[in-house]
Amino acid sequence: MSSPSPPPPEVVVKNRFLGFLIWQSISSSAIFILFKTLLLSPLTNTNLALPSFLSLFAFLIFHLAQLFFSASLSLLSSPQPYSLESPLQLVFPLLRFLFVSSDSLSSSDFRRRVNLYLSFFLFLGAASISGFLSVICVCGWANHGYDGVQLIEKVGFRGFAFGLLYACFYIYKRRWVLEFPIVQRPPFFSIKMRLPVAIKQALKISSAAYLFSTVLLVFLPNQFNSYVTMKKFITEQIILYTGSLSVFLCWELNHHLHQVLQTKRFVFAPPKGSAAAETNPSEPLLAALEESSPGSLPQFLAYLDLCMVSENNVDTWRRAAFFEETGETYKRVVVVCMRPLEQLASTLGEDLETHPVDKAYQQSNQLQSQTNSLQDPKCNKPLNNFQQCAWCARTVAALTARSHKEDRCGVAQLSGSNAAVISTLLSCLLAVEAVMGKKTNVQTPNHLMGPGGIKWATLNTGRRDVVVAKKRSGPMHSKAYDMADVLKTSIYGIISAFHDEMLTSDKAGLLERDWLISGKPLFGTRELLLQKLRLFLDFRAS
């Protein structure tokens, strides 16, 4: 009998989506019953606690509306925080396709932008329709005095506005981006922690949406003529606000359930003790890393699993399999982790090189305020991939440090991976620091500043000066600081493990040969990387 193997990454995502639909159905049903029986029943003349055909029909429609919203939410969500670009960037390829060339629509970047816009429009429509149906089901039949037209005008229209407003807020706040928690907790505990946050957020959004829809309702004709008494008006407004609160609470819980269930760790490994675990336990993980679509959820889950295995001592048997005798597994792991880091350093380096300016422009730019300083949007794109790059940096640093004691065959050193890892991490750090506004140059022995020989001055790596945005606020600068902290921590982890060996190599004049690649680095020069490495070796890099 063959041993069970982990399912393919696509099956993992599909199963999680089905599990999310089940859990959101349970939570939405509980909220519907709670609000209808305990909160809305005392405000009406009918006993809503007693089941009837109308109440069952309303429950079914409400349930289908929530399923429609949840499906569109899963379609919109992505672990990759893509930037929403101008619609004109979609028009130009279409015009080029019509008048110049037919190859402009075949690029993956264009298809990604089209799919992103389509998913946004689908989510806007799904949230609006879900709000229209959900508010009618919760509030419309709470008062049987409404006819069909009044049900649509007084309740359905405001539910449509609720859904549209919530979708715009959701997209504007970029809540569609899946955020992986720093500490992986059990799903039930994570949901329990996020429940108060969901209730608080639902109260805020429902209050703002109610006021906004009330303003819109004023412009509709004959909206206040049907109210006979002030008591009826106040009662209906309380019912509407309570019903809208239940709908927003369902949506907020759906959002938190989706975040928790989709970002929890999945173990890409056969069961311990099985035949596959004894022969090749790393193949499912490597297959998920190498064969998954770039930026997809399966690839992010695989990088998360790899990072957890490399840093923690929970699955030591899996990490030991990385250091097998042939060294092929370790090389594949290092390659898949180095690829995002190499792309980060190369992209940042290319973007900085394409904006050379003269000294007169530099002086005029220095007179501008920080809020008006030059911002390069191209530097923001590679930093959007912060989560994946952070996992890769932590993984290669942890494996390199662990190889000092766990690599019995010496595959990390013999394959040259240690030098490649150190060089790539240093190049990434120098590129990120250049985006942050720090500029370095290679110092001569007569002008050394400290043990590392680094002096923060104008950048001089064989190219013209570069003007970099120094705006101290905003997502780009924050991500640059976060990435720099991850890279420094990763380099210090390797330095701590190989400190004695590096000191010996430095005294013998072999530090550059043993710990840096022989070719041209991705960013900077070999001399600059060597000085930076010596600064880390003295624990003075900051």
Side-chain angles (χ1 to χ4, degrees), residues 19-39:
F20 161 66
L21 293 182
I22 294 173
W23 279 106
Q24 74 85 26
S25 300
I26 296 174
S27 63
S28 300
S29 301
I31 292 174
F32 180 85
I33 296 173
L34 176 65
F35 274 77
K36 291 282 285 186
T37 57
L38 299 182
L39 299 179

Side-chain angles (χ1 to χ4, degrees), residues 277-517:
E278 297 295 335
T279 56
N280 195 359
S282 305
E283 187 59 34
L285 176 59
L286 291 173
L289 290 169
E290 296 171 348
E291 299 175 5
S292 300
S293 301
S296 62
L297 180 58
Q299 189 183 61
F300 269 68
L301 293 175
Y303 274 113
L304 173 61
D305 184 42
L306 177 60
C307 184
M308 300 288 282
V309 172
S310 303
E311 290 185 335
N312 302 327
N313 289 325
V314 178
D315 298 327
T316 54
W317 62 278
R318 295 181 60 193
R319 187 169 65 237
F322 294 158
F323 302 104
E324 47 91 16
E325 296 180 358
T326 62
E328 294 298 325
T329 303
Y330 188 81
K331 291 180 182 178
R332 292 173 64 184
V333 171
V334 172
V335 166
V336 295
C337 290
M338 296 280 279
R339 190 179 300 120
L341 297 175
E342 292 172 353
Q343 185 178 4
L344 174 66
S346 301
T347 306
L348 290 179
E350 292 174 359
D351 293 340
L352 293 174
E353 285 182 345
T354 54
H355 294 82
V357 293
D358 54 15
K359 294 184 178 180
Y361 183 84
Q362 279 189 354
Q363 295 175 358
S364 63
N365 187 72
Q366 291 175 356
L367 298 177
Q368 298 177 1
S369 62
Q370 291 182 352
T371 56
N372 295 326
S373 60
L374 179 64
Q375 285 186 311
D376 183 15
K378 293 183 179 180
C379 294
N380 198 7
K381 291 183 179 180
L383 291 174
N384 282 334
N385 199 19
F386 162 75
Q387 182 66 85
Q388 192 178 45
C389 292
W391 283 336
C392 291
R394 290 164 54 186
T395 298
V396 293
L399 289 178
T400 304
R402 297 278 187 180
S403 67
H404 187 262
K405 295 183 179 180
E406 300 180 10
D407 185 11
R408 299 180 180 179
C409 301
V411 297
Q413 186 67 31
L414 295 176
S415 62
S417 299
N418 289 352
V421 168
I422 286 291
S423 301
T424 303
L425 292 178
L426 289 173
S427 297
C428 287
L429 180 59
L430 290 174
V432 172
E433 287 181 342
V435 173
M436 295 164 52
K438 285 186 176 182
K439 302 177 184 181
T440 62
N441 66 331
V442 180
Q443 300 297 315
T444 60
N446 297 328
H447 298 86
L448 294 180
M449 299 294 293
I454 289 283
K455 178 183 178 182
W456 295 111
T458 56
L459 184 62
N460 184 14
T461 58
R463 52 178 176 261
R464 298 178 66 181
D465 292 335
V466 179
V467 174
V468 185
K470 292 187 178 182
K471 186 176 181 180
R472 301 304 178 185
S473 61
M476 191 270 285
H477 202 76
S478 176
K479 289 179 181 178
Y481 264 110
D482 293 340
M483 194 67 226
D485 290 340
V486 171
L487 292 170
K488 292 174 185 176
T489 304
S490 301
I491 297 173
Y492 270 128
I494 301 175
I495 295 295
S496 300
F498 291 93
H499 189 258
D500 295 337
E501 289 82 351
M502 286 185 174
L503 283 180
T504 303
S505 298
D506 191 22
K507 292 179 181 178
L510 303 176
L511 184 64
E512 182 178 2
R513 187 198 68 178
D514 295 339
W515 290 96
L516 294 178
I517 59 175

